[in-house]
Coordinates of all heavy atoms in Angstrom, one line a residue:
M1 N 0.8 -1.2 0.0 CA 0.0 0.0 0.0 C 0.9 1.3 0.0 O 0.5 2.2 -0.7 CB -0.9 0.0 1.2 CG -1.9 1.1 1.3 SD -3.1 0.9 0.0 CE -4.1 2.3 0.3
T2 N 2.0 1.3 0.7 CA 2.8 2.4 0.7 C 3.5 2.7 -0.6 O 3.7 3.8 -1.0 CB 3.9 2.3 1.8 OG1 4.7 1.1 1.6 CG2 3.3 2.2 3.2
H3 N 3.8 1.6 -1.3 CA 4.4 1.7 -2.6 C 3.4 2.4 -3.6 O 3.8 3.2 -4.4 CB 4.7 0.3 -3.1 CG 5.6 0.2 -4.4 ND1 6.8 0.8 -4.4 CD2 5.3 -0.2 -5.6 CE1 7.3 0.6 -5.6 NE2 6.4 0.0 -6.4
F4 N 2.1 2.0 -3.5 CA 1.1 2.6 -4.3 C 1.0 4.1 -4.0 O 0.8 5.0 -4.9 CB -0.2 1.9 -4.1 CG -1.4 2.6 -4.8 CD1 -1.5 2.6 -6.2 CD2 -2.3 3.4 -4.1 CE1 -2.6 3.2 -6.8 CE2 -3.3 4.0 -4.7 CZ -3.5 3.9 -6.1
L5 N 1.0 4.5 -2.7 CA 0.8 5.9 -2.3 C 2.0 6.7 -2.8 O 1.9 7.9 -3.2 CB 0.7 6.0 -0.8 CG -0.7 5.5 -0.2 CD1 -0.6 5.5 1.3 CD2 -1.8 6.3 -0.8
T6 N 3.2 6.2 -2.7 CA 4.4 6.9 -3.1 C 4.3 7.2 -4.6 O 4.7 8.3 -5.1 CB 5.7 6.2 -2.8 OG1 5.7 4.9 -3.4 CG2 5.9 6.1 -1.3
K7 N 3.9 6.2 -5.4 CA 3.8 6.4 -6.9 C 2.7 7.4 -7.2 O 2.9 8.3 -8.1 CB 3.5 5.1 -7.6 CG 4.7 4.2 -7.8 CD 4.3 3.0 -8.6 CE 5.5 2.1 -8.9 NZ 5.2 1.0 -9.7
A8 N 1.6 7.3 -6.5 CA 0.5 8.2 -6.7 C 0.9 9.7 -6.4 O 0.5 10.6 -7.1 CB -0.8 7.8 -6.0
S9 N 1.6 9.8 -5.3 CA 2.0 11.2 -4.8 C 3.0 11.8 -5.8 O 3.0 12.9 -6.1 CB 2.5 11.2 -3.4 OG 3.6 10.4 -3.3
L10 N 3.9 10.9 -6.3 CA 4.9 11.4 -7.2 C 4.3 11.8 -8.5 O 4.6 12.8 -9.1 CB 6.0 10.3 -7.5 CG 7.1 10.6 -8.5 CD1 7.9 11.8 -7.9 CD2 7.9 9.4 -8.8
A11 N 3.3 11.1 -9.0 CA 2.6 11.4 -10.2 C 1.8 12.7 -10.0 O 1.8 13.6 -10.9 CB 1.6 10.3 -10.6
A12 N 1.2 12.9 -8.9 CA 0.4 14.2 -8.6 C 1.4 15.3 -8.6 O 1.1 16.4 -9.1 CB -0.4 14.0 -7.3
L13 N 2.6 15.1 -8.0 CA 3.5 16.2 -7.8 C 4.1 16.6 -9.2 O 4.2 17.8 -9.5 CB 4.7 15.8 -6.9 CG 5.8 16.8 -6.8 CD1 5.3 18.0 -6.0 CD2 7.0 16.2 -6.0
L14 N 4.3 15.6 -10.1 CA 4.8 15.9 -11.4 C 3.7 16.7 -12.2 O 4.0 17.6 -13.0 CB 5.2 14.6 -12.1 CG 6.5 14.0 -11.7 CD1 6.8 12.7 -12.4 CD2 7.7 15.0 -12.0
A15 N 2.5 16.2 -12.1 CA 1.4 16.9 -12.8 C 1.2 18.3 -12.4 O 1.0 19.2 -13.2 CB 0.1 16.1 -12.6
L16 N 1.4 18.6 -11.1 CA 1.2 20.0 -10.6 C 2.4 20.8 -11.0 O 2.2 22.0 -11.2 CB 1.1 20.0 -9.1 CG -0.3 19.5 -8.5 CD1 -0.2 19.4 -7.0 CD2 -1.4 20.4 -9.0
C17 N 3.6 20.3 -11.1 CA 4.8 21.1 -11.5 C 4.8 21.4 -12.9 O 5.3 22.4 -13.3 CB 6.0 20.3 -11.1 SG 6.3 20.1 -9.4
T18 N 4.1 20.6 -13.8 CA 4.2 20.9 -15.2 C 3.1 21.9 -15.6 O 3.3 22.5 -16.7 CB 3.9 19.6 -16.0 OG1 2.7 19.1 -15.7 CG2 5.0 18.6 -15.8
I19 N 2.1 22.2 -14.9 CA 1.1 23.2 -15.2 C 1.6 24.6 -15.4 O 1.4 25.2 -16.4 CB -0.1 23.1 -14.2 CG1 -0.8 21.8 -14.4 CG2 -1.1 24.3 -14.5 CD1 -1.9 21.5 -13.4
P20 N 2.4 25.1 -14.4 CA 2.9 26.5 -14.6 C 3.9 26.6 -15.7 O 4.0 27.6 -16.4 CB 3.6 26.8 -13.3 CG 3.0 25.9 -12.3 CD 2.6 24.6 -13.0
A21 N 4.7 25.5 -16.0 CA 5.7 25.5 -17.0 C 5.0 25.6 -18.4 O 5.5 26.3 -19.3 CB 6.6 24.3 -16.9
T22 N 3.9 24.9 -18.6 CA 3.3 25.0 -19.9 C 2.6 26.3 -20.2 O 2.6 26.8 -21.3 CB 2.3 23.8 -20.1 OG1 1.3 23.9 -19.0 CG2 3.0 22.5 -20.0
V23 N 2.1 26.9 -19.2 CA 1.4 28.2 -19.3 C 2.4 29.3 -19.7 O 2.2 30.0 -20.6 CB 0.6 28.5 -18.1 CG1 0.1 29.9 -18.2 CG2 -0.5 27.6 -17.8
S24 N 3.5 29.3 -19.0 CA 4.5 30.4 -19.4 C 5.2 30.1 -20.7 O 5.4 31.1 -21.4 CB 5.6 30.4 -18.3 OG 6.3 29.2 -18.2
T25 N 5.4 28.9 -21.1 CA 6.0 28.6 -22.4 C 4.9 29.0 -23.5 O 5.3 29.5 -24.5 CB 6.3 27.2 -22.5 OG1 7.2 26.8 -21.4 CG2 7.0 26.9 -23.8
A26 N 3.7 28.7 -23.3 CA 2.7 29.0 -24.4 C 2.5 30.5 -24.5 O 2.3 31.0 -25.6 CB 1.4 28.3 -24.0
A27 N 2.6 31.2 -23.4 CA 2.5 32.7 -23.5 C 3.7 33.3 -24.2 O 3.6 34.4 -24.8 CB 2.3 33.3 -22.1
A28 N 4.9 32.7 -24.1 CA 6.1 33.3 -24.6 C 6.2 33.1 -26.1 O 7.0 33.8 -26.8 CB 7.3 32.7 -23.9
T29 N 5.6 32.1 -26.7 CA 5.8 31.8 -28.1 C 5.0 32.8 -29.0 O 3.9 33.3 -28.6 CB 5.3 30.4 -28.5 OG1 3.9 30.3 -28.2 CG2 6.1 29.4 -27.8
G30 N 5.5 33.1 -30.1 CA 4.9 34.1 -31.0 C 4.0 33.3 -32.0 O 3.9 32.1 -32.0
P31 N 3.3 34.1 -32.8 CA 2.3 33.4 -33.8 C 3.1 32.6 -34.8 O 2.6 31.6 -35.3 CB 1.6 34.6 -34.4 CG 2.4 35.8 -34.1 CD 3.2 35.5 -32.9
Q32 N 4.3 33.1 -35.3 CA 5.0 32.4 -36.3 C 5.6 31.1 -35.8 O 5.6 30.1 -36.5 CB 6.1 33.2 -36.9 CG 5.5 34.3 -37.8 CD 6.6 35.0 -38.5 OE1 7.8 34.7 -38.4 NE2 6.2 36.0 -39.4
T33 N 6.0 31.0 -34.6 CA 6.5 29.8 -34.0 C 5.4 28.8 -33.9 O 5.6 27.6 -34.2 CB 7.1 30.1 -32.6 OG1 8.0 31.1 -32.7 CG2 7.7 28.9 -32.0
N34 N 4.2 29.2 -33.5 CA 3.1 28.3 -33.4 C 2.8 27.7 -34.8 O 2.5 26.6 -35.0 CB 1.9 29.0 -32.8 CG 0.8 28.1 -32.5 OD1 1.0 26.9 -32.4 ND2 -0.4 28.6 -32.3
F35 N 2.8 28.6 -35.9 CA 2.6 28.1 -37.2 C 3.6 27.1 -37.7 O 3.2 26.1 -38.3 CB 2.5 29.3 -38.2 CG 2.4 28.8 -39.6 CD1 1.2 28.4 -40.1 CD2 3.4 28.9 -40.5 CE1 1.0 28.0 -41.4 CE2 3.3 28.5 -41.8 CZ 2.1 28.0 -42.2
V36 N 4.9 27.3 -37.3 CA 5.9 26.4 -37.7 C 5.7 25.0 -37.1 O 5.8 24.0 -37.7 CB 7.3 26.9 -37.4 CG1 8.4 25.9 -37.6 CG2 7.6 28.1 -38.3
V37 N 5.3 25.0 -35.8 CA 5.1 23.8 -35.1 C 3.9 23.1 -35.7 O 4.0 21.9 -35.9 CB 4.9 24.1 -33.6 CG1 4.4 22.8 -32.9 CG2 6.2 24.6 -32.9
E38 N 2.9 23.8 -36.1 CA 1.7 23.1 -36.7 C 2.1 22.6 -38.0 O 1.7 21.5 -38.4 CB 0.6 24.2 -36.9 CG -0.2 24.5 -35.6 CD -1.3 25.5 -35.8 OE1 -1.6 25.8 -37.0 OE2 -1.8 26.0 -34.8
A39 N 2.9 23.3 -38.8 CA 3.2 22.8 -40.1 C 4.1 21.6 -40.0 O 4.0 20.7 -40.9 CB 3.9 23.9 -40.9
Q40 N 4.9 21.5 -39.0 CA 5.9 20.3 -38.9 C 5.2 19.1 -38.3 O 5.5 18.0 -38.7 CB 7.1 20.7 -38.1 CG 8.0 21.7 -38.8 CD 9.2 22.1 -37.9 OE1 9.2 21.7 -36.8 NE2 10.1 22.8 -38.5
Y41 N 4.4 19.3 -37.3 CA 3.9 18.1 -36.6 C 2.5 17.7 -36.8 O 2.1 16.6 -36.7 CB 4.1 18.4 -35.1 CG 5.6 18.6 -34.8 CD1 6.1 19.8 -34.4 CD2 6.5 17.5 -34.9 CE1 7.4 20.0 -34.2 CE2 7.8 17.7 -34.6 CZ 8.3 18.9 -34.3 OH 9.6 19.1 -34.0
H42 N 1.6 18.7 -37.2 CA 0.2 18.3 -37.3 C -0.2 18.0 -38.8 O -1.2 17.3 -39.0 CB -0.7 19.5 -36.8 CG -0.5 19.7 -35.3 ND1 -0.9 18.8 -34.4 CD2 0.1 20.7 -34.6 CE1 -0.6 19.2 -33.2 NE2 0.0 20.4 -33.3
R43 N 0.5 18.5 -39.7 CA 0.1 18.3 -41.1 C 1.3 17.7 -41.9 O 2.2 18.4 -42.3 CB -0.2 19.7 -41.7 CG -0.9 19.6 -43.0 CD -1.4 21.0 -43.4 NE -0.5 22.0 -42.9 CZ -0.1 23.1 -43.6 NH1 -0.5 23.2 -44.8 NH2 0.7 24.0 -43.1
P44 N 1.4 16.4 -42.0 CA 2.5 15.8 -42.7 C 2.6 16.2 -44.2 O 1.6 16.3 -44.9 CB 2.3 14.3 -42.6 CG 0.8 14.2 -42.4 CD 0.4 15.4 -41.7
I45 N 3.8 16.5 -44.6 CA 4.0 16.9 -46.0 C 4.1 15.6 -46.8 O 5.0 14.8 -46.6 CB 5.2 17.8 -46.2 CG1 5.0 19.1 -45.4 CG2 5.5 18.1 -47.6 CD1 6.2 19.9 -45.3
R46 N 3.2 15.4 -47.8 CA 3.2 14.2 -48.5 C 4.2 14.2 -49.7 O 4.7 13.2 -50.1 CB 1.8 13.9 -49.1 CG 0.8 13.8 -48.0 CD -0.5 13.2 -48.4 NE -1.6 13.4 -47.5 CZ -1.7 12.7 -46.4 NH1 -0.8 11.8 -46.1 NH2 -2.7 12.9 -45.6
G47 N 4.5 15.4 -50.3 CA 5.4 15.4 -51.4 C 6.8 15.8 -50.9 O 7.2 15.6 -49.8
C48 N 7.5 16.4 -51.8 CA 8.9 16.9 -51.6 C 8.8 18.3 -50.9 O 8.3 19.2 -51.5 CB 9.6 17.0 -52.9 SG 11.3 17.6 -52.8
S49 N 9.2 18.4 -49.7 CA 9.2 19.7 -49.0 C 10.3 20.6 -49.6 O 11.3 20.1 -50.0 CB 9.4 19.5 -47.5 OG 10.7 19.2 -47.2
P50 N 10.0 21.9 -49.6 CA 11.0 22.8 -50.2 C 12.3 22.8 -49.5 O 13.4 22.8 -50.1 CB 10.3 24.2 -50.0 CG 8.9 23.9 -49.9 CD 8.8 22.6 -49.3
M51 N 12.3 22.7 -48.1 CA 13.6 22.6 -47.4 C 14.4 21.4 -47.8 O 15.6 21.4 -47.9 CB 13.3 22.7 -45.9 CG 12.7 24.0 -45.4 SD 12.6 24.1 -43.6 CE 11.7 22.7 -43.2
H52 N 13.7 20.2 -47.9 CA 14.4 19.0 -48.3 C 15.0 19.1 -49.7 O 16.1 18.6 -49.9 CB 13.4 17.8 -48.2 CG 14.0 16.5 -48.3 ND1 13.6 15.5 -49.1 CD2 15.1 16.0 -47.7 CE1 14.3 14.5 -49.0 NE2 15.3 14.7 -48.2
A53 N 14.3 19.7 -50.6 CA 14.8 19.9 -52.0 C 16.0 20.8 -52.0 O 17.0 20.5 -52.7 CB 13.7 20.4 -52.9
V54 N 16.0 21.8 -51.2 CA 17.2 22.8 -51.2 C 18.3 22.0 -50.5 O 19.5 22.2 -51.0 CB 16.8 24.1 -50.4 CG1 18.0 24.9 -50.1 CG2 15.8 24.9 -51.3
R55 N 18.1 21.3 -49.5 CA 19.1 20.5 -48.8 C 19.8 19.5 -49.7 O 21.0 19.4 -49.8 CB 18.5 19.8 -47.6 CG 19.4 20.1 -46.3 CD 18.8 19.4 -45.1 NE 17.6 20.0 -44.7 CZ 16.4 19.4 -44.4 NH1 16.3 18.1 -44.5 NH2 15.4 20.1 -44.0
K56 N 19.0 18.8 -50.5 CA 19.5 17.8 -51.5 C 20.3 18.5 -52.6 O 21.4 18.0 -53.0 CB 18.4 17.0 -52.1 CG 17.9 15.9 -51.2 CD 17.0 15.0 -51.9 CE 17.8 13.9 -52.6 NZ 16.9 12.8 -53.1
A57 N 19.8 19.7 -53.0 CA 20.6 20.4 -54.0 C 21.9 20.9 -53.5 O 22.9 20.8 -54.2 CB 19.8 21.6 -54.5
R58 N 22.0 21.3 -52.3 CA 23.3 21.7 -51.7 C 24.2 20.5 -51.5 O 25.4 20.6 -51.7 CB 23.0 22.3 -50.3 CG 22.5 23.7 -50.4 CD 22.3 24.4 -49.1 NE 21.7 25.7 -49.2 CZ 21.0 26.3 -48.3 NH1 20.8 25.7 -47.1 NH2 20.5 27.5 -48.5
D59 N 23.6 19.3 -51.3 CA 24.4 18.1 -51.2 C 25.0 17.7 -52.6 O 26.1 17.2 -52.7 CB 23.6 16.9 -50.7 CG 23.3 17.1 -49.2 OD1 24.0 17.9 -48.5 OD2 22.4 16.4 -48.7
F60 N 24.3 18.1 -53.6 CA 24.8 17.8 -55.0 C 25.8 18.9 -55.4 O 26.3 18.8 -56.5 CB 23.6 17.8 -56.0 CG 22.9 16.5 -56.0 CD1 21.5 16.5 -55.7 CD2 23.5 15.3 -56.3 CE1 20.8 15.3 -55.7 CE2 22.8 14.1 -56.4 CZ 21.4 14.1 -56.1
G61 N 26.1 19.9 -54.6 CA 27.1 20.9 -55.0 C 26.6 22.2 -55.4 O 27.4 23.0 -55.9
L62 N 25.3 22.5 -55.3 CA 24.7 23.8 -55.7 C 24.9 24.8 -54.5 O 24.5 24.5 -53.4 CB 23.3 23.6 -56.0 CG 22.7 24.3 -57.2 CD1 23.5 23.9 -58.4 CD2 21.3 23.9 -57.4
R63 N 25.5 25.9 -54.8 CA 25.6 27.0 -53.8 C 24.5 28.0 -54.0 O 24.0 28.2 -55.1 CB 26.9 27.7 -53.9 CG 28.1 26.8 -53.4 CD 29.4 27.4 -53.7 NE 29.6 27.5 -55.1 CZ 30.4 28.4 -55.7 NH1 31.0 29.3 -55.0 NH2 30.5 28.4 -57.0
D64 N 24.1 28.7 -52.9 CA 23.0 29.7 -53.0 C 21.7 29.1 -53.6 O 21.1 29.7 -54.5 CB 23.4 30.9 -53.8 CG 24.6 31.6 -53.1 OD1 24.7 31.6 -51.9 OD2 25.4 32.2 -53.8
A65 N 21.4 27.9 -53.2 CA 20.3 27.1 -53.8 C 18.9 27.8 -53.3 O 18.7 28.1 -52.2 CB 20.3 25.7 -53.4
R66 N 18.1 28.0 -54.3 CA 16.7 28.6 -54.1 C 15.7 27.9 -55.0 O 16.0 27.4 -56.1 CB 16.7 30.1 -54.4 CG 17.6 30.9 -53.6 CD 17.4 32.3 -53.8 NE 18.3 33.1 -52.9 CZ 19.3 33.9 -53.4 NH1 19.4 34.1 -54.7 NH2 20.0 34.5 -52.5
I67 N 14.5 27.8 -54.5 CA 13.4 27.2 -55.3 C 13.0 28.2 -56.3 O 12.6 29.3 -55.9 CB 12.3 26.7 -54.4 CG1 12.8 25.7 -53.5 CG2 11.1 26.3 -55.2 CD1 11.8 24.8 -52.9
T68 N 13.0 27.8 -57.6 CA 12.5 28.7 -58.6 C 11.1 28.4 -59.1 O 10.4 29.2 -59.6 CB 13.5 28.7 -59.8 OG1 13.6 27.4 -60.3 CG2 14.8 29.2 -59.4
R69 N 10.7 27.1 -59.0 CA 9.4 26.7 -59.5 C 9.0 25.5 -58.7 O 9.8 24.6 -58.4 CB 9.5 26.3 -61.0 CG 8.1 26.1 -61.6 CD 8.2 26.0 -63.1 NE 8.9 24.8 -63.5 CZ 8.3 23.8 -64.1 NH1 7.0 23.8 -64.2 NH2 9.0 22.8 -64.5
M70 N 7.7 25.5 -58.3 CA 7.2 24.3 -57.6 C 5.8 24.1 -58.1 O 4.9 24.9 -58.1 CB 7.1 24.6 -56.1 CG 6.8 23.4 -55.3 SD 7.2 23.7 -53.6 CE 6.7 22.2 -52.8
S71 N 5.6 22.8 -58.6 CA 4.3 22.5 -59.2 C 3.9 21.1 -58.5 O 4.6 20.6 -57.7 CB 4.4 22.3 -60.7 OG 5.1 21.2 -61.0
P72 N 2.7 20.6 -58.8 CA 2.3 19.4 -58.2 C 3.2 18.2 -58.7 O 3.2 17.2 -58.0 CB 0.9 19.1 -58.7 CG 0.4 20.5 -59.0 CD 1.6 21.3 -59.5
R73 N 3.9 18.4 -59.7 CA 4.8 17.3 -60.2 C 6.2 17.5 -60.0 O 7.0 16.5 -59.7 CB 4.6 17.1 -61.7 CG 3.2 16.6 -62.1 CD 3.2 16.3 -63.5 NE 1.8 15.7 -63.8 CZ 1.6 15.0 -64.9 NH1 2.5 14.8 -65.8 NH2 0.4 14.6 -65.1
V74 N 6.8 18.7 -60.1 CA 8.2 18.9 -59.9 C 8.5 20.1 -59.0 O 7.7 21.0 -58.8 CB 8.8 19.2 -61.3 CG1 8.8 18.0 -62.2 CG2 8.3 20.4 -61.9
V75 N 9.8 20.0 -58.5 CA 10.3 21.1 -57.7 C 11.7 21.4 -58.3 O 12.5 20.6 -58.4 CB 10.5 20.7 -56.2 CG1 11.2 21.8 -55.5 CG2 9.3 20.3 -55.6
V76 N 11.8 22.7 -58.8 CA 13.0 23.1 -59.5 C 13.8 24.0 -58.6 O 13.3 25.0 -58.0 CB 12.7 23.9 -60.8 CG1 14.0 24.3 -61.5 CG2 11.9 23.0 -61.7
V77 N 15.1 23.6 -58.3 CA 16.0 24.4 -57.5 C 17.1 24.9 -58.3 O 17.8 24.2 -59.1 CB 16.5 23.5 -56.3 CG1 17.5 24.3 -55.4 CG2 15.4 22.9 -55.5
A78 N 17.4 26.2 -58.3 CA 18.5 26.8 -59.0 C 19.5 27.4 -58.1 O 19.2 27.8 -56.9 CB 17.9 27.9 -59.9
G79 N 20.8 27.4 -58.5 CA 21.9 27.9 -57.8 C 23.1 28.0 -58.6 O 23.1 27.8 -59.8
R80 N 24.3 28.2 -57.9 CA 25.5 28.3 -58.6 C 26.4 27.1 -58.4 O 26.4 26.5 -57.3 CB 26.3 29.5 -58.2 CG 25.6 30.8 -58.6 CD 26.5 32.0 -58.4 NE 27.7 31.9 -59.1 CZ 28.0 32.4 -60.3 NH1 27.1 33.0 -61.0 NH2 29.2 32.3 -60.8
E81 N 27.1 26.7 -59.4 CA 28.1 25.6 -59.3 C 29.5 26.2 -59.6 O 29.6 27.5 -59.8 CB 27.8 24.5 -60.4 CG 27.1 23.4 -59.8 CD 27.0 22.2 -60.8 OE1 27.1 22.5 -62.0 OE2 26.9 21.1 -60.3
R82 N 30.5 25.4 -59.8 CA 31.8 25.9 -60.1 C 31.8 26.6 -61.5 O 32.5 27.5 -61.8 CB 32.8 24.8 -60.1 CG 33.1 24.3 -58.7 CD 34.1 23.2 -58.7 NE 33.5 22.0 -59.2 CZ 34.0 21.1 -60.0 NH1 35.2 21.3 -60.5 NH2 33.3 20.1 -60.4
R83 N 31.0 26.0 -62.5 CA 31.0 26.5 -63.8 C 30.0 27.6 -64.1 O 30.0 28.2 -65.2 CB 30.6 25.3 -64.8 CG 31.7 24.2 -64.7 CD 31.2 23.0 -65.5 NE 30.2 22.4 -64.7 CZ 29.7 21.2 -64.9 NH1 30.1 20.5 -65.9 NH2 28.7 20.7 -64.1
G84 N 29.1 27.9 -63.2 CA 28.2 29.0 -63.4 C 26.8 28.5 -62.8 O 26.7 27.7 -61.9
W85 N 25.8 29.1 -63.4 CA 24.4 28.9 -62.9 C 24.0 27.5 -63.3 O 24.3 27.1 -64.5 CB 23.4 29.9 -63.4 CG 23.6 31.2 -62.8 CD1 24.3 32.3 -63.3 CD2 23.2 31.6 -61.5 NE1 24.3 33.3 -62.4 CE2 23.6 33.0 -61.3 CE3 22.4 31.0 -60.5 CZ2 23.3 33.7 -60.1 CZ3 22.1 31.8 -59.4 CH2 22.6 33.0 -59.2
D86 N 23.2 26.8 -62.5 CA 22.7 25.5 -62.8 C 21.4 25.3 -62.1 O 21.1 26.0 -61.1 CB 23.7 24.4 -62.4 CG 23.4 23.1 -63.0 OD1 22.6 23.0 -64.0 OD2 24.0 22.1 -62.5
R87 N 20.6 24.3 -62.6 CA 19.3 24.0 -61.9 C 19.2 22.5 -61.8 O 19.6 21.8 -62.7 CB 18.2 24.7 -62.5 CG 17.8 24.3 -63.9 CD 16.6 25.0 -64.4 NE 16.5 24.7 -65.8 CZ 15.7 25.3 -66.6 NH1 15.0 26.3 -66.1 NH2 15.5 24.9 -67.8
I88 N 18.5 22.1 -60.8 CA 18.2 20.7 -60.5 C 16.7 20.5 -60.4 O 16.1 21.3 -59.7 CB 18.9 20.2 -59.3 CG1 20.4 20.3 -59.4 CG2 18.6 18.8 -59.0 CD1 21.2 19.9 -58.2
T89 N 16.2 19.5 -61.0 CA 14.7 19.2 -61.0 C 14.5 18.0 -60.2 O 15.1 16.9 -60.5 CB 14.1 19.1 -62.4 OG1 14.5 20.2 -63.1 CG2 12.6 18.9 -62.3
F90 N 13.6 18.1 -59.2 CA 13.3 16.9 -58.3 C 11.8 16.6 -58.5 O 11.0 17.5 -58.8 CB 13.4 17.3 -56.8 CG 14.9 17.5 -56.4 CD1 15.3 18.8 -56.2 CD2 15.8 16.5 -56.3 CE1 16.6 19.1 -55.8 CE2 17.1 16.7 -55.9 CZ 17.5 18.0 -55.7
A91 N 11.4 15.3 -58.4 CA 10.0 15.0 -58.4 C 9.4 15.4 -57.1 O 10.0 15.3 -56.1 CB 9.9 13.5 -58.6
N92 N 8.1 15.8 -57.2 CA 7.4 16.3 -56.0 C 6.7 15.1 -55.4 O 5.4 15.0 -55.2 CB 6.4 17.4 -56.4 CG 5.9 18.1 -55.2 OD1 6.3 17.8 -54.1 ND2 5.1 19.1 -55.4
V93 N 7.5 14.1 -54.9 CA 7.0 13.0 -54.2 C 7.9 12.8 -53.0 O 8.9 13.4 -52.9 CB 6.9 11.7 -55.1 CG1 5.9 11.8 -56.2 CG2 8.3 11.3 -55.6
R94 N 7.5 11.9 -52.1 CA 8.2 11.6 -50.9 C 9.7 11.2 -51.2 O 9.9 10.3 -52.1 CB 7.6 10.5 -50.1 CG 8.2 10.3 -48.8 CD 7.4 9.3 -48.0 NE 8.1 9.0 -46.8 CZ 7.9 7.9 -46.1 NH1 7.0 7.0 -46.5 NH2 8.5 7.6 -45.0
G95 N 10.6 11.9 -50.6 CA 12.0 11.6 -50.8 C 12.8 12.4 -51.8 O 14.0 12.4 -51.9
C96 N 12.0 13.2 -52.6 CA 12.6 14.1 -53.6 C 13.6 13.4 -54.5 O 14.7 13.8 -54.6 CB 13.3 15.3 -52.9 SG 12.2 16.3 -51.9
P97 N 13.1 12.5 -55.3 CA 14.1 11.9 -56.2 C 14.5 12.8 -57.4 O 13.7 13.6 -57.8 CB 13.3 10.6 -56.8 CG 11.9 11.0 -56.6 CD 11.8 11.8 -55.4
L98 N 15.7 12.7 -57.8 CA 16.3 13.5 -58.9 C 15.7 13.1 -60.2 O 15.7 12.0 -60.6 CB 17.8 13.4 -58.9 CG 18.5 14.2 -59.9 CD1 18.4 15.7 -59.6 CD2 20.0 13.8 -59.9
I99 N 15.2 14.1 -61.0 CA 14.7 13.9 -62.3 C 15.8 14.3 -63.3 O 16.2 13.5 -64.2 CB 13.4 14.6 -62.6 CG1 12.3 14.1 -61.7 CG2 13.0 14.5 -64.0 CD1 11.0 14.9 -61.9
R100 N 16.2 15.5 -63.2 CA 17.1 16.1 -64.2 C 18.1 17.0 -63.6 O 17.7 17.8 -62.6 CB 16.2 16.9 -65.2 CG 16.9 17.6 -66.3 CD 15.8 18.2 -67.2 NE 14.6 17.5 -67.4 CZ 13.4 17.9 -67.2 NH1 13.3 19.1 -66.7 NH2 12.3 17.2 -67.4
R101 N 19.3 17.0 -64.1 CA 20.3 17.9 -63.6 C 20.8 18.9 -64.6 O 21.0 18.6 -65.7 CB 21.5 17.1 -63.0 CG 22.5 18.0 -62.5 CD 23.2 17.5 -61.3 NE 24.0 18.6 -60.9 CZ 24.8 18.5 -59.9 NH1 24.9 17.4 -59.2 NH2 25.5 19.5 -59.5

């Protein structure tokens, strides 16, 4: 019985300690932070996310990579290489597979 009471009191203490922490954190966040959290965790991106496409283009050697066109089928990222301007086209599906370089 004492083992049960210690566990119950510990759970109640933890529950009471977390209430003030969540209220102050929620009040400190701005509207854009809330939107970013909603976009990342509540609404999964089914296609190729723009950040993922830019990251992959940088891995392929593109500097100053930016998205120039995004459609339901393709994501086009343009940037600079050693030889000059270049663009990479990714499919707008999960994993961002490379279509054309």
Side-chain angles (χ1 to χ4, degrees):
M1 184 69 180
T2 58
H3 191 63
F4 173 74
L5 289 175
T6 56
K7 281 187 177 182
S9 62
L10 181 63
L13 179 65
L14 286 173
L16 288 175
C17 290
T18 58
I19 290 172
T22 57
V23 171
S24 64
T25 306
T29 60
Q32 290 190 354
T33 306
N34 192 15
F35 174 72
V36 170
V37 170
E38 284 179 12
Q40 288 179 354
Y41 299 110
H42 295 292
R43 194 173 30 137
I45 297 172
R46 301 194 194 285
C48 177
S49 74
M51 290 188 308
H52 190 227
V54 169
R55 230 179 287 131
K56 280 188 85 167
R58 286 183 183 154
D59 290 343
F60 280 120
L62 224 57
R63 291 175 289 156
D64 298 328
R66 295 188 180 119
I67 296 203
T68 57
R69 188 169 69 106
M70 190 165 179
S71 71
R73 291 187 179 200
V74 296
V75 177
V76 179
V77 180
R80 292 192 55 96
E81 261 190 338
R82 289 179 287 139
R83 295 171 290 195
W85 290 97
D86 196 14
R87 65 180 173 192
I88 299 176
T89 306
F90 297 104
N92 196 359
V93 294
R94 185 177 174 199
C96 298
L98 178 69
I99 293 177
R100 179 179 321 124
R101 178 143 189 185

